[in-house]
Amino acid sequence: MNETTGDDRSLPPALADVARLGFDYDDGNGIDFEAYDAFCPAEETTDWLRQWTGNPEVDGDAYRLFGQDGTGGNAAVWYARPGRPLAEQPVVFMGSEGECGVVAGNLSDFLWMLADGHGPLEAVLFGIDGSRPDAALTALAERHATTPRRPAHALLAEARAEFPSFAEDIAALCR
């Protein structure tokens, strides 16, 4: 077991509910996201990160991949806060064309982002352009969230302010 991140690959109840709910892309007006029913295995995560960065020396221990968009970009929980539980870790996105960014400061804020109609791809590639509330995702967030509801643009700004160098740190790993 990795002392920094642990090796638990079971989804927390909130993400399991996200996976069961599913998403409607709605011809580009919805959320382009497919949640997995389990975190990707450690070896698969490391293989993916090595391919994504072109760096055979990196490992995926700090990431728990839990979904992807239609182009193959991945959403992950990133163990950026040592010693804190998974639910308190930020959510990040690494796109199929090298785009990357922090999406939410923790899983609870990620649920509110989804409830506001924005997924990981949309947040990183296009930013937040208003609110498109989703009733089912709002109900899910209301059941599981431990943080107060805030607009998606505020959640994204808070996460990026807390982790301003994430994209540059990832770029530094690329070969």
Side-chain angles (χ1 to χ4, degrees), residues 1-12 15 33 35-36 38-46 48-49 59-68 74-80 84-87 89-94 107 110 120 166:
M1 178 162 101
N2 181 305
E3 292 179 27
T4 304
T5 62
D7 64 0
D8 183 13
R9 296 284 163 171
S10 37
L11 289 178
L15 285 181
F33 188 64
Y36 304 147
F39 286 122
C40 287
E43 301 80 19
E44 187 177 319
T45 300
T46 292
W48 171 80
L49 190 59
D59 66 49
D61 286 351
Y63 302 95
R64 297 292 183 273
L65 301 179
F66 68 87
Q68 70 179 27
N74 281 287
V77 175
W78 170 41
Y79 276 89
R84 294 186 47 196
L86 181 132
Q89 304 297 338
V91 172
V92 298
F93 177 77
M94 295 180 221
L107 283 178
F110 178 67
F166 175 74

Side-chain angles (χ1 to χ4, degrees), residues 102 159-169:
V102 178
R160 289 184 175 174
E162 185 175 0
F163 302 101
S165 66
F166 175 74
E168 292 80 18
D169 294 345

Side-chain angles (χ1 to χ4, degrees), residues 124-167:
V124 171
L125 264 59
F126 310 117
I128 304 299
D129 62 353
S131 179
R132 301 184 305 255
D134 180 283
L137 289 166
T138 297
L140 188 150
E142 287 170 344
R143 280 194 312 275
H144 293 287
T146 58
T147 57
R149 183 175 191 162
R150 294 173 320 287
H153 68 84
L155 298 169
L156 186 61
E158 290 170 15
R160 289 184 175 174
E162 185 175 0
F163 302 101
S165 66
F166 175 74

